[in-house]
Amino acid sequence: MKILMVCLGNICRSPIAEGILRQKLKDGGFSHVATDSAGTSAFHVGEAPDRRMRATAKQNGVDIDDLRARQFVPADFDHFDIIYAMDQSNYNNIMSLAQTEDEKDKVKMILNEVNPSSNEAVPDPYYGGDEGFQHVFDLLDEATDVIIEKYVKG
């Protein structure tokens, strides 16, 4: 199984979602699941995650220092089984690139795993205070627990 996390710039929400899931998969011995993250924009391609998100990750026992931003590309539909969008705008951007119903079926709003059909957004902490980064971590920590139970342990 391959799971992709997607936000706008790939420096805050999607790298922490990938990092949390990656750490839980490693801790659980689930080596058959691969993770990645991407952004729908090319604003930060090649950059490390936001320093505040890296600090929040470390405070919570997750290391995302090795991640680098990349842009979502249509070929990602071929490489991933599930593609999680962090908000409606990014969901719409991903869906606009989908060519088939199979590709569209792969795309999900990540917080719908916790609150089905709510289409809640993971808030973008980039322009807010440091507390926003912990809030995003907490939301994605809960969502990744559900993802593991639903798709990994199955």
Side-chain angles (χ1 to χ4, degrees):
M1 170 165 287
K2 295 178 184 174
I3 300 172
L4 180 65
M5 306 294 189
V6 183
C7 68
L8 180 61
N10 195 209
I11 60 167
C12 292
R13 297 170 291 172
S14 57
I16 196 60
E18 177 190 359
I20 295 168
L21 182 59
R22 182 174 67 174
Q23 187 65 52
K24 289 177 180 182
L25 293 168
K26 180 181 173 189
D27 292 348
F30 302 112
S31 58
H32 64 286
V33 180
T35 62
D36 196 5
S37 60
T40 56
S41 78
F43 298 145
H44 301 284
V45 169
E47 294 180 22
D50 183 281
R51 64 173 175 73
R52 297 163 295 175
M53 190 52 84
R54 292 194 319 261
T56 300
K58 282 188 178 141
Q59 290 167 359
N60 288 278
V62 175
D63 184 357
I64 59 171
D65 288 349
D66 63 317
L67 299 180
R68 294 297 174 267
R70 72 172 186 84
Q71 188 171 15
F72 180 87
V73 294
D76 286 326
F77 288 112
D78 297 328
H79 300 298
F80 293 94
D81 301 300
I82 303 171
I83 300 169
Y84 282 111
M86 299 295 135
D87 61 32
Q88 192 67 51
S89 175
N90 288 296
Y91 177 89
N92 294 342
N93 289 338
I94 297 164
M95 291 296 277
S96 73
L97 297 173
Q99 299 293 311
T100 67
E101 288 304 313
D102 283 344
E103 290 177 350
K104 290 176 184 177
D105 289 345
K106 292 181 178 190
V107 185
K108 303 175 184 313
M109 294 279 289
I110 194 164
L111 293 185
N112 281 352
E113 295 297 357
V114 178
N115 299 307
S117 301
S118 66
N119 292 334
E120 290 176 55
V122 176
D124 189 344
Y126 188 79
Y127 293 106
D130 290 345
E131 67 281 350
F133 290 86
Q134 184 61 50
H135 178 63
V136 166
F137 184 96
D138 294 341
L139 290 171
L140 294 169
D141 187 37
E142 184 178 7
T144 54
D145 281 344
V146 175
I147 290 167
I148 288 174
E149 287 299 319
K150 187 172 177 180
Y151 296 107
V152 179
K153 291 182 178 179

